[in-house]
Each structure stands twice: as C-alpha cells, then as structure tokens.
Amino acid sequence: MKRFIEFLEKYIMPFAGRVAEQRHLQAIRDGIILTLPLIIVGSLFLIIGFLPITGYADFMASTFGAEWLTKLLYPVGASFDIMAIIVSFGVAYRLAEKYSVDALGAGTISVAAFMLATPYKVFFTPEGASEALEVGGAIPVALMGSKGLFVAMILAVLSTEIYRYIIQKNIVIKMPDGVPPAVSRSFIALIPAFAVFLVVWLIRIGLEATSFESIHNIINDLLATPLNALGSSLIGALIAVMLIQMLWSTGLHGAAIVGGVMGPIWLSLMDENRLIYQANPDAELPNIITQQFFDLWIYVGGSGATLALVFIMLVWARSQQLKNISRLSVGPGIFNINEPVTFGMPIVMNPLLIIPFIITPIVLVLITYFAMSWGWVAKPNGVAVPWTTPIGFSGYLATGGKISGVVIQIVNFIVAGLIYYPFFRIWDKQKLKEEQG
C-alpha cells in the first residue's frame, strides 16, 4: 500500500493538478454548471406533470383542461431545450475571464457563432404524408438542447481563443476617451467578432460541400457518438469512478476534474432519457449511466459513498476523535457533502481507508448497473434531481416514483457499510490507542 501511495503522489497527483488547472476544462465545467439551476427548475415541472398517483392525470385534465400537461411542460422546454445556448455563452464567458478580457463580449460572440454554424432547417411530416419535408428558416430546437452541447463547447473555445488573441494583440478599434465605456467595448469587439464570424462562416460553407453538411453532423459522427458510447458503458463508468476516487485520495476534487470531461456526456445521456420519458413515462429508457446514476445511487453521502461510514462511526466509534468527526459529518453527509469526513477522519492520503474508499464505489456501480440492466430497478428518467437531495427522496424522484429506486439506494448503503466496517474498526482501535497514550 505504501508503494501505491507513492505512485499517487509521484504520478497521479501532479498530472491531476495540471488537469485541474487547465483553463479550457475549467471553463467547460463552469459553463455546464451555469445550466443546472434552469435544468433543476425544469425538472420540478416535469415531476409535477408525471406524479405517480392513480387518477392524477384524469383529475388534472378535468380541472385544468385536456391541454394541461402541454402547458405545464412549457418551462421544461424553456430550460432543457436551450441547454446548448447557455453552455455556449457560459463556457466563453468563463474562458474569457481567465484571459482577463471582456467576458460579456466573448459570451455574446460565442452564441452568435453557434447560431451561425447551425443550419436553420427542420424536417416536418404533414398529416397523411409518408416523407418528411425540409422546412427552411426555422431554428432546430433539438440542436439548441443536449444534441448541440459538443458543438456549443467547441465553438465557445474556438471563438474565445480568436477573440482574446486579437484583443491581446491590440488589433482593435479604439474610441476617444469621452466615449462611454459600454460603447467603447462594443467597438473594441468589432474586429474580433468579424474574425470569429469569418472563420465559422468558412467552416460552415466548407462542410456544406461535403457529405457531413454541417458541423453538428461531423461532431456527432466523429466525437459525440463515440464518447456517448464510452460514457454510457459499464467500463466507462468504472474507469470514471476509479479516477474520481484516486484523485480524491490525494486531496484533489476528483468529481470536478473528471466531471469537466465526462459531464457533457452524462448530461446528454440524461436528456435522452428525459425526452423519451416526457413522451411516454412507461417507455423503455435507453441509458443507465447518466449524471444521476452517480450522484444519487453511487455517491450516497458524497464521493466514496461515505454516508454509511459516518453512521458506523456514529454508532460504534470508541475513540473520541471519530465520535466527534461523526457528529460533525452526519448533517452534511445526509445532503451528500462529505468533506468533513474525507479530510477530518482523514481518508485523504490514509493508506488504510483509501482501500474501501476506492473499492466501495466500484462495487456499487456493478450492483446498480446490473440491477438496472436486468430490469430489477428502474433507470433514471432524466429528471435532474439535485445531488444534495437525501437518500430515499432522490431515488424515488429520479425513477418517476418507482420504489425500486429507493430500494437499491438502501442496498447500496448497506453494502457500503459492510465494506467500510472492518477498516473502520482497525482505524478506530488505532485512534483509541493513541488517545489512551
């Protein structure tokens, strides 16, 4: 185990530290976080629309009319369906901040570049027709949501890099000192905006001459589809969890680092489930691995599924240190915040406790994945239940009111406790011996 710790310190920690400080990944992570309030609010309306209560739909229809569900779900479309636009602005804004250039201008240009790269056409099948007709002059809503995430992120980074390069090279139109600052900044952004538009326009024209036709198609074929296949697989989930736990073991925020790469994938997989669930709550959902899979079933109590460990300490700890840690950790742990136990016990850089800290989430991934794959447990339905939602409530809401979502959380909690218990006993005895001198 000593060699493993040395390996973490020598190779993983320096590399992870560089990744964590990488400005583009930070900007992507922060840009995606910008969408979370909207998605969570939209999810609340989605939950209300599909409450698992017998006779609920009939009652609502008789009270508010036959179109009640369509009207209730307006906020869902206003949140989920503009996800890519928000990410486009947010990523560019955060990246521009790191370069110390006008973030508002960078975000605005990024959104415009995204819209420029998007073909304004949709396909519509008239009633009674057998073939879909192409309708021009219409913004495709599907590409404004999760399907456009990767294009939005890539163009946000590209447009901001062009923007900041021109600004930093001082290739700008400067106005006299008496001009208001807001007007002056607008003129400063003219040349960078033209350069971004020119580059994106040429990319679009060039791709229209190929079989791909648009940047959305090429990104989906060459990047989004392979990444989604990896991100939605059991192997991908196990690798992600292992990396998260190894990073946390060195004191780095593993979920934030890995989430900067995998977050867009899990978010798009979540939205795939949401779209199908919204169309038909009884339909078979395609994806097991989503952001909610990790937040609500694997990391009960925070990274490492430490809520079970906290309750074990609360009941069986004999050393005063662990008793105090458990009392401080139980409140935050119920809401899936576990820094008090991770750094207070500590688990970080602790050769003994790192073992269950890494093993437990891996075991829980296997249990939950196969339980959902075999149909024993309902899959996450795409509702963005906040990761701070306590165990039980979260499993119920994220599966559309299926009790199996709660049962598997309880099973995972018990399994986590069984794995942690022998290691806790050893650590508790060591701490007690130290306190007794």
Side-chain angles (χ1 to χ4, degrees):
M1 196 63 193
K2 181 180 178 182
R3 290 182 179 178
F4 178 68
I5 296 296
E6 291 175 350
F7 171 79
L8 291 177
E9 290 179 330
K10 186 175 181 180
Y11 297 104
I12 300 299
M13 193 170 182
F15 174 74
R18 289 193 294 271
V19 171
E21 295 172 359
Q22 214 287 325
R23 59 170 64 95
H24 298 95
L25 289 179
Q26 287 182 338
I28 290 172
R29 180 197 65 204
D30 295 343
I32 290 175
I33 290 174
L34 194 64
T35 68
L36 292 184
L38 297 178
I39 292 174
I40 291 172
V41 170
S43 293
L44 292 176
F45 285 88
L46 192 60
I47 292 171
I48 295 171
F50 296 98
L51 286 176
I53 301 173
T54 303
Y56 173 72
D58 293 335
F59 169 77
M60 295 294 285
S62 63
T63 306
F64 299 103
E67 297 295 316
W68 73 273
L69 183 58
T70 300
K71 295 178 180 179
L72 180 65
L73 296 184
Y74 286 163
V76 178
S79 52
F80 283 91
D81 290 346
I82 62 168
M83 196 186 304
I85 299 175
I86 302 299
V87 166
S88 175
F89 181 86
V91 171
Y93 189 96
R94 294 304 185 193
L95 185 57
E97 281 186 330
K98 298 182 186 304
Y99 283 120
S100 299
V101 296
D102 181 24
L104 189 60
T108 304
I109 293 171
S110 173
V111 172
F114 174 68
M115 300 304 292
L116 174 59
T118 302
Y120 282 20
K121 61 182 180 181
V122 296
F123 290 92
F124 170 71
T125 305
E127 186 175 351
S130 58
E131 294 184 4
L133 302 177
E134 183 180 302
V135 180
I139 297 176
V141 174
L143 297 182
M144 301 297 104
S146 60
K147 287 186 178 180
L149 269 181
F150 286 97
V151 173
M153 291 185 298
I154 291 171
L155 289 179
V157 171
L158 174 63
S159 66
T160 306
E161 286 294 338
I162 296 172
Y163 176 82
R164 69 91 185 170
Y165 178 82
I166 294 175
I167 294 290
Q168 291 175 348
K169 291 296 181 179
N170 205 29
I171 310 173
V172 297
I173 299 174
K174 293 184 177 180
M175 301 299 289
D177 293 338
V179 175
V183 176
S184 180
R185 284 195 296 269
S186 297
F187 276 89
I188 288 173
L190 279 177
I191 295 177
F194 176 80
V196 170
F197 271 53
L198 180 63
V199 169
V200 176
W201 176 69
L202 290 174
I203 291 173
R204 176 173 176 174
I205 295 296
L207 288 175
E208 285 180 347
T210 69
S211 59
F212 288 109
E213 296 184 348
S214 75
I215 191 172
H216 287 275
N217 291 336
I218 193 171
I219 294 299
N220 182 68
D221 291 347
L222 300 183
L223 182 62
T225 299
L227 286 177
N228 281 345
L230 174 64
S232 63
S233 68
L234 176 59
I235 297 299
L238 291 173
I239 293 173
V241 164
M242 188 176 297
L243 288 174
I244 289 172
Q245 297 310 119
M246 290 176 68
L247 292 171
W248 266 116
S249 299
T250 64
L252 297 172
H253 199 305
I257 297 172
V258 176
V261 178
M262 300 302 295
I265 300 171
W266 294 334
L267 195 60
S268 63
L269 294 171
M270 179 199 80
D271 201 41
E272 283 182 23
N273 281 10
R274 191 269 306 179
L275 289 169
I276 293 174
Y277 177 80
Q278 185 173 325
N280 179 10
D282 297 321
E284 178 67 21
L285 301 176
N287 303 309
I288 294 174
I289 307 297
T290 66
Q291 187 65 56
Q292 283 66 46
F293 176 84
F294 297 98
D295 290 345
L296 309 182
W297 284 284
I298 308 306
Y299 292 136
V300 176
S303 294
T306 54
L307 184 61
L309 175 60
V310 170
F311 275 93
I312 287 172
M313 286 194 294
L314 196 65
V315 176
W316 285 293
R318 298 175 60 200
S319 69
Q320 195 60 43
Q321 177 181 330
L322 296 191
K323 286 181 181 179
N324 292 334
I325 291 295
S326 67
R327 296 185 189 114
L328 290 172
S329 303
V330 66
I334 290 173
F335 297 96
N336 301 319
I337 299 168
N338 69 341
E339 276 79 0
V341 66
T342 303
F343 293 98
M345 196 170 181
I347 295 174
V348 171
M349 302 306 291
N350 185 325
L352 176 66
L353 295 177
I354 281 177
I355 299 173
F357 188 68
I358 293 176
I359 291 175
T360 300
I362 292 175
V363 173
L364 300 189
V365 166
L366 292 170
I367 291 173
T368 309
Y369 183 89
F370 285 115
M372 291 182 176
S373 178
W374 294 337
W376 297 351
V377 174
K379 298 175 185 177
N381 61 5
V383 173
V385 178
W387 61 271
T388 51
T389 306
I391 181 175
F393 296 104
S394 58
Y396 185 78
L397 294 174
T399 54
K402 303 293 193 303
I403 195 65
S404 61
V406 179
V407 172
I408 195 64
Q409 284 186 317
I410 296 172
V411 169
N412 285 351
F413 178 83
I414 294 171
V415 170
L418 293 174
I419 296 173
Y420 272 115
Y421 184 76
F423 296 92
F424 151 76
R425 288 300 301 270
I426 296 171
W427 188 244
D428 188 41
K429 286 180 181 179
Q430 290 183 14
K431 295 286 103 179
L432 183 63
K433 186 175 180 180
E434 289 174 8
E435 291 172 0
Q436 293 176 344

